[in-house]
Amino acid sequence: MENTKILGYIAYEGPSIIDGAPIVVIVNKIDGSKNAKTGAIVQSFIIRSDINPVEALQTGADESICGQCEHRPKLARESGAAPCYVQVAKSVLSVYNAYKRGRYVKADAATIAAALAGKIVRIGTYGDGAAAPVTMWNQITRYAAGRRGYTHQWDTIGFDVESWAPLVMASADTIDQAAKANLLGMRVFRVSQGIDVQPGEAVCPASAEAGRKSTCAKCTLCSGTSIKARDIVIADHAAGHARRTIAIVAT
């Protein structure tokens, strides 16, 4: 190991629940992110353990950690959907390189759970948390003060809604998708093009359109069905969002 300072922990190394390819779950920034929107949240990255994340993105091998999410860059290029906003060549690549250099410690669930006690944990800063076992997430976050997470896997065959619903929000891109997720028993985080708040929804308090009244760390709304609250909606802010919004208004 190049340095004695622990950057974070390896929580899982094994087959992707999505397609069986090798992935790793890295719990990073144990002391909390400095991101202005999220606030002090412990981050987690789900990435291929055998492929550079930029290469995975370019070739479509990121399916192992994102499934058929329409925002995967390869799929977005084909469909014209909004591409994922995560800058993979920066933060994600940095995490991958540190992982390959041995900067993350592989630890058992009890050790990681103790390190996360009293903290807010993001399930899937990059990658879909559902690519890894739900039992692992429950174990390492059992003492956490809160969990924030989103999944596009809720609409896939075999998805365990009962286990996942208390942990994460169902990511939706349309009103119809949101309605379907609700019927399945999920609370929803919907991305809209423009501001079109529906009955039963509230605007994300950390969003620009809400005046950034809160941060993800302070707000409890994206906690799945572990709380009773309205669904959340946020305006599309991925690359090209202005063009998409204009197109919707024009039609």
Side-chain angles (χ1 to χ4, degrees), residues 98-242:
Y99 164 66
K100 286 299 186 181
R101 294 197 307 271
R103 295 296 306 280
Y104 296 106
V105 176
K106 189 167 185 177
D108 59 28
T111 298
I112 300 174
L116 299 181
K119 302 179 184 297
I120 307 295
V121 180
R122 173 73 183 267
I123 298 177
T125 303
Y126 177 69
D128 194 307
V134 67
T135 51
M136 179 273 296
W137 291 113
N138 276 320
Q139 289 170 354
I140 70 170
T141 63
R142 57 186 156 170
Y143 306 130
R147 296 169 289 204
R148 310 286 186 266
Y150 313 86
T151 182
H152 271 92
Q153 304 309 303
W154 61 269
D155 199 21
T156 57
I157 296 173
F159 182 78
D160 187 352
V161 171
E162 185 176 356
S163 296
W164 278 105
L167 292 178
V168 297
M169 307 288 282
S171 290
D173 298 292
T174 68
I175 293 171
D176 287 344
Q177 286 180 3
K180 183 176 182 181
N182 284 157
L183 286 174
L184 291 174
M186 302 284 292
R187 286 185 61 236
V188 173
F189 186 90
R190 182 173 67 87
V191 177
S192 67
Q193 293 186 8
I195 301 174
D196 63 346
V197 183
Q198 302 296 305
E201 292 182 334
V203 176
C204 169
S207 67
E209 58 268 29
R212 305 193 190 283
K213 297 175 182 176
S214 186
T215 64
C216 298
K218 294 178 181 178
C219 175
T220 63
L221 293 176
C222 288
S223 302
T225 58
S226 63
I227 64 168
K228 291 185 177 180
R230 293 185 177 192
D231 290 338
I232 305 302
V233 62
I234 191 170
D236 177 5
H237 60 279
H241 67 89

Side-chain angles (χ1 to χ4, degrees), residues 41-46 85-86 91-92 122-127:
I41 291 183
V42 177
Q43 308 291 337
S44 65
F45 292 78
I46 303 99
Y85 62 85
V86 178
S91 60
V92 185
R122 173 73 183 267
I123 298 177
T125 303
Y126 177 69

